[in-house]
Amino acid sequence: MRLSLLVAVALGVTAVPLASRADETCNSPYMSGLIKGQEDFLYVWTLGVKGVGDGFDKLVTMDVNPASKKFGQVIGHVSVGKRGEAHHMGFTDDRRFLWAGGLDDSKIYVFDVHTNPAKPKLVKTIDDFAKRSGLVGPHTFYALPGRMLIGALSNDKDRGGVTGMAVYNTKGDFIARHAMPTTGGGDGYGYDIAISPSKNAMLTSSFTGAVNYMTDLGKLIKDPAAMKQFGNTMVMWNLKSMQPEKVLNVPGAPLEIRWSLNEGDEWAITATALTSKIWLVKKDASGAWQAKDVATIGDPAKVPLPVDLSITADGKGLWVNTFMDGTTRYFDISNPEAPKETYSKRTGSQVNMVSQSWDGKRLYVSSSLLANWDKKGADDEQFVKLFAWDGKELKETFKVDFAKLKLGRAHHMKFGAAGAKLSADAGQGAARMAGR
């Protein structure tokens, strides 16, 4: 079977996903063996800081089960022996392995989180990502049936924003590369990936290249030429063919993408980092995908810098973290055409990722954005916090100070469970879906 056909088979699944209820609401719809109740562990992909602890990037494991004697404590960490700008991670479709990448050195680390979920183990390092794909800055790790789709932020030639996506099998072998479009209005930039199988739709967003994201934020903001090198587009792809179908104009660096998980909804939402807007991607009356600005986040003049989103399981609410003002906001999006901010709380001097439990009762917040973009001095807080949400107020349950523990800068988070085992039926189903 030709590689292109093999990839098309793996990507072109439009059947209902194996599980309709999951732990975090932002996971790939192709994941099986998901957590439906209380999570036991929180995995935190953490940036190493020179002179702090061992100084290396690491996967930190926290106990987050309230019934545990070690609730709210770090129970272990796995150092990768290097510092490469740890950033995002993602589970494989069978949820046995967690892939994590470095934006600076482009290395990819594969952790076994299935054999002993309380003690992840580094089992593979993929160090030929740039050589095989021509891309650098592996950012988004998105599970496909038997595959991992990796969205990159930059390229290996000029380390600018023109980039693409790479497909690997779950054994860690490179399969194919797909370039972000540079024609038809495309700027070639990339960032997040989100798939809606039932719509045969894949949506991508855009950020900036390595030259920019590895530059000190204060210096970057003062460079007019550099500030022009940010993405202003989103792309709607045909999932089966892996071909771009439409470039959408979304100025201001659209970052995280979230499809509504409510059955029957056919829209996705994103936020722009530089213009502080919420954008809705939805079909118009003629059936064509369109993107439109539907709400403002904070005061755009102060550049609050929205960095992460978490949509509720019913598609009615949206959490937004803004880095510069350290604020976590909640928007009522029961009418996605007109989101309304109904709650906000300053959750830190700087906040980045926000991870929500499926039942909406728990919200985890981490602090670090990028090593050279984090704040300085006392505002350079490095933590993971858990909040309880009763629908009216966020109440802090615990705070783990990563700086005090000499662990580094806390960035991306994923949930783990002691009983998260893949059933034989689920594994066979995933194999059938992948065409294996």
Side-chain angles (χ1 to χ4, degrees):
M1 183 181 289
R2 292 176 56 191
L3 283 181
S4 59
L5 179 57
L6 183 62
V7 174
V9 169
L11 297 177
V13 179
T14 56
V16 176
L18 291 175
S20 60
R21 291 294 180 267
D23 40 354
E24 293 174 277
T25 57
C26 62
N27 280 320
S28 164
Y30 295 114
M31 283 172 52
S32 61
L34 295 166
I35 305 166
K36 299 179 182 180
Q38 171 68 50
E39 59 279 3
D40 295 311
F41 310 111
L42 185 73
Y43 304 126
V44 188
W45 189 218
T46 306
L47 290 75
V49 178
K50 187 176 181 180
V52 176
D54 65 8
F56 300 139
D57 296 348
K58 55 184 62 66
L59 184 68
V60 175
T61 302
M62 295 175 55
D63 188 321
V64 295
N65 190 324
S68 171
K69 294 181 180 179
K70 295 184 178 180
F71 175 62
Q73 298 179 31
V74 171
I75 58 173
H77 57 81
V78 182
S79 175
V80 299
K82 296 181 179 299
R83 189 168 56 253
E85 192 71 30
H87 204 67
H88 279 201
M89 54 186 175
F91 290 107
T92 51
D93 65 335
D94 58 10
R95 213 178 186 282
R96 292 174 181 266
F97 299 95
L98 189 56
W99 289 40
L103 290 186
D104 188 23
D105 64 7
S106 294
K107 292 186 182 298
I108 298 170
Y109 302 96
V110 181
F111 297 91
D112 175 357
V113 293
H114 174 79
T115 302
N116 185 347
K119 296 182 179 180
K121 182 179 180 181
L122 179 62
V123 294
K124 187 179 183 67
T125 299
I126 300 172
D127 56 12
D128 63 350
F129 179 76
K131 179 180 179 180
R132 298 302 304 273
S133 68
L135 307 171
V136 297
H139 177 270
T140 301
F141 296 86
Y142 206 85
L144 300 169
R147 304 284 184 269
M148 184 66 83
L149 181 61
I150 304 172
L153 298 187
S154 192
N155 66 80
D156 201 25
K157 291 184 178 180
D158 63 9
R159 294 176 67 81
V162 176
T163 187
M165 300 175 289
V167 181
Y168 279 72
N169 64 26
T170 51
K171 294 180 179 180
D173 302 318
F174 175 78
I175 295 176
R177 165 184 166 160
H178 300 278
M180 293 295 177
T182 54
T183 58
D187 52 25
Y189 285 28
Y191 184 79
D192 199 17
I193 301 167
I195 289 174
S196 179
S198 64
K199 303 171 189 62
N200 187 34
M202 180 172 73
L203 191 57
T204 58
S205 56
S206 56
F207 183 46
T208 193
V211 172
N212 271 4
Y213 66 68
M214 292 303 296
T215 297
D216 179 84
L217 183 58
K219 180 180 178 181
L220 181 66
I221 292 174
K222 295 176 182 179
D223 186 341
M227 290 303 293
K228 292 180 180 179
Q229 305 302 313
F230 281 84
N232 293 296
T233 62
M234 298 180 75
V235 180
M236 184 62 73
W237 300 70
N238 182 301
L239 181 59
K240 284 186 177 182
S241 66
M242 279 297 287
Q243 294 298 312
E245 291 192 329
K246 186 170 186 178
V247 175
L248 304 169
N249 182 42
V250 184
L255 300 184
E256 309 295 339
I257 309 166
R258 304 290 179 251
W259 284 100
S260 173
L261 301 174
N262 187 44
E263 187 174 355
D265 284 351
E266 295 189 357
W267 52 266
I269 209 158
T270 190
T272 49
L274 302 184
T275 55
S276 199
K277 298 288 186 178
I278 292 176
W279 283 73
L280 177 69
V281 178
K282 186 179 180 180
K283 287 183 178 180
D284 61 19
S286 67
W289 289 104
Q290 305 291 349
K292 62 179 179 178
D293 165 8
V294 291
T296 299
I297 304 166
D299 181 358
K302 296 180 180 179
V303 194
L305 196 60
V307 284
D308 196 23
L309 310 175
S310 181
I311 196 167
T312 58
D314 61 6
K316 307 290 186 186
L318 185 74
W319 290 102
V320 181
N321 266 2
T322 46
F323 177 79
M324 294 303 291
D325 58 8
T327 299
T328 299
R329 294 177 167 85
Y330 182 83
F331 284 81
D332 178 348
I333 56 171
S334 52
N335 177 6
E337 304 276 352
K340 296 180 180 179
E341 182 181 320
T342 59
Y343 177 83
S344 68
K345 183 184 183 74
R346 191 172 188 270
T347 50
S349 61
Q350 58 183 19
V351 296
N352 187 20
M353 306 304 293
V354 54
S355 293
Q356 171 188 193
S357 61
W358 187 270
D359 61 13
K361 295 180 179 180
R362 298 174 300 285
L363 203 72
Y364 296 86
V365 174
S366 65
S367 55
S368 181
L369 177 53
L370 291 159
N372 290 323
W373 287 29
D374 284 354
K375 294 181 179 180
K376 306 294 192 292
D379 286 337
D380 184 20
E381 291 185 309
Q382 297 301 333
F383 61 76
V384 166
K385 293 181 180 180
L386 170 62
F387 294 89
W389 173 247
D390 61 5
K392 296 180 180 180
E393 174 69 24
L394 282 177
K395 297 181 180 179
E396 186 175 316
T397 303
F398 67 64
K399 172 185 175 181
V400 175
D401 190 331
F402 273 49
K404 184 177 181 179
L405 295 176
K406 297 184 178 181
L407 293 172
R409 302 177 182 275
H411 188 73
H412 205 196
M413 301 172 288
K414 288 292 183 183
F415 297 163
K421 302 292 185 180
L422 176 68
S423 71
D425 288 344
Q428 292 168 6
R432 288 195 296 270
M433 290 174 72
R436 294 185 291 177

